[in-house]
Amino acid sequence: MKRRILMAMAALALMGMASSSGAAPSGSVKGIKGSPHDLSFTTPGANQTDQVCVFCHTPHNAVQAVPLWNRNASTNTAGSFQLYTSSQTFDMKPNPSRNGFTSDSISLFCMSCHDGSALGGSMIGAEPAGVTNAALIPNFGASPTAATGIGAKSTNFSTDLTKSHPVNFVYDSTKDAGIVANATLLAGKKFPLFKALGVANNLECASCHAVHGQTNTTYNYPKFLRSTMAGSALCLGCHIK
């Protein structure tokens, strides 16, 4: 009888754990290892590696000092991208008005992959043992291939970002009463702002996406978001509604 009671208690405990884990976002790893940005192979074969960081970073002879970048530039230049420019809802458009990224926008690091550029052979330094960067294959599973980059996936935005949330602009709450004050946003430290053309407080892709995964929570939110979409918490981090 006592054994049956203990087994029942254990079963209830497991059910509770399953319920709790079911509430966690998909991709419930923490950090970059095992996340969609982990392009390494657990058991590397020819022209493969178990190194995680090499696909974007190198400790020496980087293309750019920040963030020790290890990738050839995209064939798409900063000016070839089209950004969100709605005149009716966007009160913080760059002045003077422009289209395309600034040449030092941190979002260009994201777009070196997410514009659909081929990823295989684009690394420059820190060659893994036994394979040259020119031949190094990223792990995308069965599809897409190294030659086609991220291919037809929804994360391939190409160069047309006119229907995506604006980025690479100065976040300035004095120009829009419908957003959280700069001081409040920065004090919370959840949604960082970045510098572009020597001007601070630019909202970029990494303001909403933690590209290395979460380091201050127990799991990654889907799509590397810095907050949950439950109750629109991510949106309400900046927007007052």
Side-chain angles (χ1 to χ4, degrees):
M1 179 69 179
K2 183 177 180 180
R3 184 181 178 187
R4 286 199 298 269
I5 293 173
L6 289 173
M7 290 176 66
M9 291 175 66
L12 287 170
L14 287 171
M15 288 173 64
M17 290 172 63
S19 174
S20 174
S21 64
S26 59
S28 56
V29 298
K30 178 180 179 179
I32 191 170
K33 183 67 175 175
S35 76
H37 280 170
D38 179 1
L39 304 181
S40 68
F41 289 82
T42 303
T43 306
N47 297 328
Q48 300 172 355
T49 181
D50 58 2
Q51 293 187 33
V52 178
C53 305
V54 68
F55 291 95
C56 292
H57 304 289
T58 179
H60 306 291
N61 302 317
V63 179
Q64 294 188 43
V66 179
L68 291 176
W69 199 239
N70 192 33
R71 292 179 51 74
N72 285 307
S74 167
T75 54
N76 295 310
T77 63
S80 63
F81 290 89
Q82 296 175 286
L83 305 182
Y84 182 94
T85 57
S86 171
S87 59
Q88 296 181 343
T89 60
F90 190 24
D91 296 322
M92 292 177 285
K93 291 188 297 295
N95 186 20
S97 182
R98 61 170 172 79
N99 200 6
F101 288 101
T102 58
S103 59
D104 60 348
S105 169
I106 198 168
S107 295
L108 284 171
F109 294 121
C110 308
M111 298 313 297
S112 71
C113 292
H114 288 281
D115 64 353
S117 295
L119 302 188
S122 64
M123 283 64 68
I124 295 174
E127 293 181 340
V131 57
T132 64
N133 284 328
L136 187 59
I137 299 173
N139 183 7
F140 284 121
S143 177
T145 66
T148 58
I150 56 179
K153 284 194 171 186
S154 61
T155 48
N156 178 358
F157 300 111
S158 68
T159 57
D160 185 358
L161 305 179
T162 55
K163 296 180 177 65
S164 294
H165 190 286
V167 290
N168 192 211
F169 67 91
V170 177
Y171 183 100
D172 185 353
S173 57
T174 65
K175 294 183 178 180
D176 189 342
I179 63 171
V180 172
N182 281 53
T184 303
L185 183 72
L186 294 173
K189 297 182 179 179
K190 179 176 283 188
F191 305 106
L193 301 175
F194 299 87
K195 183 177 287 187
L197 293 184
V199 179
N201 295 341
N202 278 260
L203 189 140
E204 303 281 2
C205 298
S207 296
C208 293
H209 299 274
V211 296
H212 296 113
Q214 298 292 330
T215 57
N216 59 345
T217 63
T218 57
Y219 47 70
N220 291 336
Y221 292 110
K223 303 184 186 301
F224 296 96
L225 293 175
R226 292 187 180 274
S227 185
T228 177
M229 286 301 295
S232 297
L234 178 79
C235 308
L236 296 176
C238 293
H239 296 272
I240 301 173
K241 299 295 182 182

